[in-house]
């Protein structure tokens, strides 16, 4: 455990802790919820946490997930349906281990499930699987998406119909090992280890119309401070770590992400889905547990954030998904959410 993780756990050891909202389901452990409105319902694509008995480390080996259960709700606050296993690691021909945070998209009668998993050489890549139903079962393409790497795919479809994938995560997500354009198995276990250089950042790629391939080069998601300078490696309270998402509000593009070891959800705003984005602030304080991962959707004119914490288990690798409201202020900023009452 890093000191930050210990502090984060200690904060919630007290018996007086009261949570802002309740877990959506308790029959299985779920995390990293990517929510979408499909067919008039809310579908949630979470990781399915399991206890594989692997000790906790900074590489994230204890997150040893093997399948996804897709959840749905008719409305926020309504009954949650667990549709059972919609996708299994054993059906991915190239997979080795660790099926991490997924996302989903819809186009022209097909649902697309995007998933990160380590290949047989223990390198994270991103794959895609398809289904005619939002809850699956999903069938994987035979190979990972060409040019993909690292973790946490988040697919955003703009109002003009173009889709983009945001992806990447440092430390156990291996993003820092791709800094020179190809995977360096001897690379850093954490970040670029250059405090005064621009921090490694999230990646974005436009998707082709077939939703299965990248359309052109993978680009950096540039996050600038208020003076127009890129965030630096030492700026752990603001720099990108993992768990990105994109939503569009009043014509502006909101890039939201986790700062990882400082346990914050932060946002940056831009005029294009490809950025650059200007850092604006924290919109969610640390949850219980080390990881923090979210998605943001609009349902019937109101905005919601799906996130996870460890209320049920108290263990960082056994998480439970939750939902609460997200509010934009009149000036476009996001109201700060405290996950505890
Ligand atoms: O669930 C495994 C990893 O933990 C995710 O990929 C990260 O975003 C973090 O939530």
């Amino acid at each position: 455990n890093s000191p930050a993780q210990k502090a984060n756990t200690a904060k919630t050891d007290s018996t007086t802790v009261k949570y802002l909202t309740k877990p959506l389901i308790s029959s299985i452990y779920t995390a990293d919820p990517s929510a979408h409105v499909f067919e008039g319902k809310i579908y949630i694509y979470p990781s399915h946490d399991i206890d594989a008995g692997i000790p906790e480390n900074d590489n994230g080996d204890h997150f040893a997930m093997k399948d996804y259960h897709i959840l749905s709700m008719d409305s926020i606050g309504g009954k949650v349906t667990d549709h059972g296993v919609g996708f299994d690691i054993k059906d991915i021909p190239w997979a080795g281990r660790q099926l991490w945070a997924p996302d989903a998209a819809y186009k022209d009668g097909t649902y697309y499930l995007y998933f990160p998993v380590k290949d047989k050489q223990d390198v994270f890549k991103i794959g895609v699987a398809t289904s005619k139903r939002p809850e699956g079962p999903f069938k994987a393409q035979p190979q990972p998406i060409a040019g993909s790497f690292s973790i946490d795919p988040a697919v955003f479809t703009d109002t003009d119909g173009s889709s983009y994938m945001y992806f990447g995560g440092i430390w156990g997500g291996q993003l820092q090992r791709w800094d020179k354009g190809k995977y360096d198995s001897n690379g850093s276990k954490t970040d670029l280890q250059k405090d005064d250089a621009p921090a490694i950042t999230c990646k974005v790629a436009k998707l082709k119309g077939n939703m299965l391939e990248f359309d052109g080069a993978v680009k950096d998601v540039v996050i600038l401070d208020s003076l127009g300078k890129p965030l630096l490696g030492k700026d752990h309270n603001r720099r990108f770590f993992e768990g990105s998402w994109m939503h569009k509000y009043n014509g502006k593009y909101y890039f939201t992400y986790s700062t990882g070891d400082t346990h914050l959800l932060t946002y940056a705003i831009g005029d294009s889905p490809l950025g650059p984005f200007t850092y604006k602030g924290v919109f969610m304080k640390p949850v219980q547990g080390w990881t923090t991962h979210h998605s943001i959707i609009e349902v019937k004119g109101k905005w919601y954030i799906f996130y996870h914490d460890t209320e049920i288990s108290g263990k960082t690798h056994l998480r439970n998904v939750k939902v609460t409201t997200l509010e934009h202020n009149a000036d476009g900023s996001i109201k700060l959410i405290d996950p505890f009452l």
Side-chain angles (χ1 to χ4, degrees):
N1 289 3
S2 68
Q5 179 176 353
K6 280 189 191 122
N8 202 34
T9 309
K11 176 184 168 192
T12 53
D13 277 347
S14 153
T15 49
T16 59
V17 161
K18 287 209 169 57
Y19 301 89
L20 178 63
T21 184
K22 295 210 171 319
L24 288 176
I25 58 163
S26 55
S27 47
I28 56 169
Y29 292 112
T30 53
D32 309 323
S34 291
H36 293 273
V37 177
F38 292 141
E39 302 182 355
K41 288 190 189 186
I42 300 149
Y43 280 86
I44 308 164
Y45 298 82
S47 299
H48 175 199
D49 283 354
I50 52 166
D51 193 358
I54 298 169
E56 227 169 285
N57 59 27
D58 284 347
N59 199 37
D61 288 332
H62 46 302
F63 297 107
M65 298 85 97
K66 293 175 193 265
D67 63 26
Y68 298 136
H69 284 229
I70 291 134
L71 313 178
S72 71
M73 297 188 284
D74 287 340
S75 59
I76 299 286
K79 179 175 171 277
V80 177
T81 302
D82 174 355
H83 294 274
V85 176
F87 190 61
D88 197 302
I89 195 169
K90 70 175 164 46
D91 298 322
I92 309 168
W94 53 274
R97 63 179 182 134
Q98 295 183 290
L99 188 58
W100 282 14
D103 192 20
Y106 170 79
K107 187 175 180 183
D108 297 338
T110 299
Y111 292 89
Y112 296 85
L113 178 74
Y114 299 93
F115 58 89
V117 71
K118 281 181 178 163
D119 65 14
K120 296 187 194 304
Q121 286 71 46
D122 229 26
V123 179
F124 269 117
K125 300 272 174 65
I126 296 170
V128 55
T130 57
S131 174
K132 289 292 172 198
R133 295 290 317 147
E135 70 275 18
F138 284 90
K139 183 168 171 41
Q141 294 290 299
Q143 299 291 337
I145 297 173
S148 75
F149 50 90
S150 195
I151 59 166
D152 289 358
V155 172
F156 164 74
T157 299
D158 205 349
T159 31
D160 68 356
S162 307
S163 294
Y164 303 84
M165 182 190 289
Y166 302 84
F167 63 95
I170 61 173
W171 291 31
Q174 303 177 336
L175 184 59
Q176 71 281 357
R177 294 187 165 188
W178 289 90
D179 191 45
K180 304 253 181 318
K182 63 181 175 91
Y183 186 73
D184 176 4
S185 55
N186 297 314
S188 162
K189 290 197 159 125
T190 55
D191 55 18
L192 294 179
Q193 301 189 311
K194 290 179 191 155
D195 274 0
D196 294 311
I200 191 163
T201 190
C202 187
K203 306 294 166 193
V204 57
K206 194 166 192 269
L207 292 176
K208 284 191 181 169
N210 66 10
M211 301 296 275
L212 302 172
E213 295 168 89
F214 290 166
D215 187 1
V218 169
K219 299 188 168 115
D220 279 350
V221 174
V222 175
I223 310 170
L224 304 171
D225 65 15
S226 58
L227 302 173
K229 301 238 166 64
L231 299 182
L232 300 181
K234 65 183 170 198
D235 194 350
H236 290 214
N237 278 321
R238 299 195 295 177
R239 60 89 173 94
F240 170 80
F241 189 105
E242 64 184 4
S244 65
W245 192 258
M246 171 60 64
H247 77 277
K248 192 176 184 181
Y249 178 76
N250 275 352
K252 298 279 185 196
Y253 296 86
Y254 285 66
F255 177 70
T256 49
Y257 58 98
S258 164
T259 62
D261 56 340
T262 47
H263 316 288
L264 302 168
L265 289 181
T266 49
Y267 71 110
I269 299 179
D271 292 318
S272 149
L274 295 172
F277 300 92
T278 302
Y279 178 85
K280 293 293 178 186
V282 176
F283 70 96
M284 192 166 198
K285 292 184 180 177
V287 297
Q288 182 184 15
W290 201 95
T291 65
T292 184
H293 189 123
H294 76 294
S295 64
I296 295 169
I297 57 166
E298 187 180 15
V299 184
K300 296 187 176 153
K302 283 188 161 184
W303 289 87
Y304 297 91
I305 176 171
F306 289 75
Y307 64 105
H308 67 229
D309 66 16
T310 58
E311 176 176 346
I312 296 174
S313 75
K315 295 194 174 119
T316 259
H317 65 295
L318 298 176
R319 301 161 288 181
N320 44 254
V321 298
K322 297 187 163 184
V323 61
T324 192
T325 49
L326 177 129
E327 288 176 70
H328 300 88
N329 294 309
D331 65 359
S333 59
I334 304 179
K335 204 173 263 179
L336 181 64
I337 301 164
D338 187 338
F340 300 100
L341 292 173

